[in-house]
Amino acid sequence: MAGLSESNETKDICGAQWLLLWSTAAYAPEFPAKDDKEPLQTFFHKFTDLCKTGPYANGYSDAVKEYGKPPIGSRRELMIWLCMAENRCLQKAALPTKRCRYSELMARWRYPDGYL
């Protein structure tokens, strides 16, 4: 997971699921319309945490328990929530956390031309 700070190359299911979560959030509408909220809610609120072993085990599901379900009212809220959730995992693994600045998160996860 720590490797996702600079690259999209994942080493295991834990990194792959965070890549999926981040990419989905980055390309969600800035302010989802009612028709957009339902699929976002289904994806993020029913997401199955497949990371069951290692230092990041159950990171997403534990964050949902601690912080509540990810907010889907705006892309900014969703990305800040994901950053806090990932930082929780990084702290648990005794790794450095990252700043949760929306502009930096968008620069990392969403390319200017809209292409992954």
Side-chain angles (χ1 to χ4, degrees):
M1 189 165 66
L4 287 178
S5 294
E6 303 295 327
S7 166
N8 289 346
E9 184 177 343
T10 61
K11 296 181 175 129
D12 56 26
I13 190 71
C14 299
Q17 82 175 20
W18 282 104
L19 176 63
L20 178 61
L21 290 163
W22 277 115
S23 298
T24 303
Y27 285 88
E30 187 173 1
F31 295 102
K34 185 178 179 183
D35 291 345
D36 296 321
K37 286 183 179 180
E38 186 177 336
L40 286 171
Q41 183 174 1
T42 299
F43 181 80
F44 285 100
H45 294 184
K46 296 185 179 191
F47 188 84
T48 301
D49 192 343
L50 298 175
C51 182
K52 301 295 181 191
T53 61
Y56 312 119
N58 303 307
Y60 184 81
S61 55
D62 287 348
V64 169
K65 288 176 191 168
E66 184 173 334
Y67 302 137
K69 293 179 180 177
I72 53 146
S74 74
R75 182 191 314 137
R76 177 185 297 269
E77 290 176 323
L78 179 56
M79 294 201 55
I80 297 299
W81 187 96
L82 281 175
C83 185
M84 290 179 4
E86 188 178 19
N87 277 345
R88 186 184 181 287
C89 293
L90 293 170
Q91 286 176 328
K92 182 178 165 186
L95 294 170
T97 59
K98 59 183 164 189
R99 292 186 344 176
C100 294
R101 292 215 169 136
Y102 181 66
S103 60
E104 292 174 15
L105 295 171
M106 287 300 290
R108 165 61 184 99
W109 292 107
R110 184 170 175 150
Y111 294 93
D113 65 1
Y115 182 72
L116 288 174

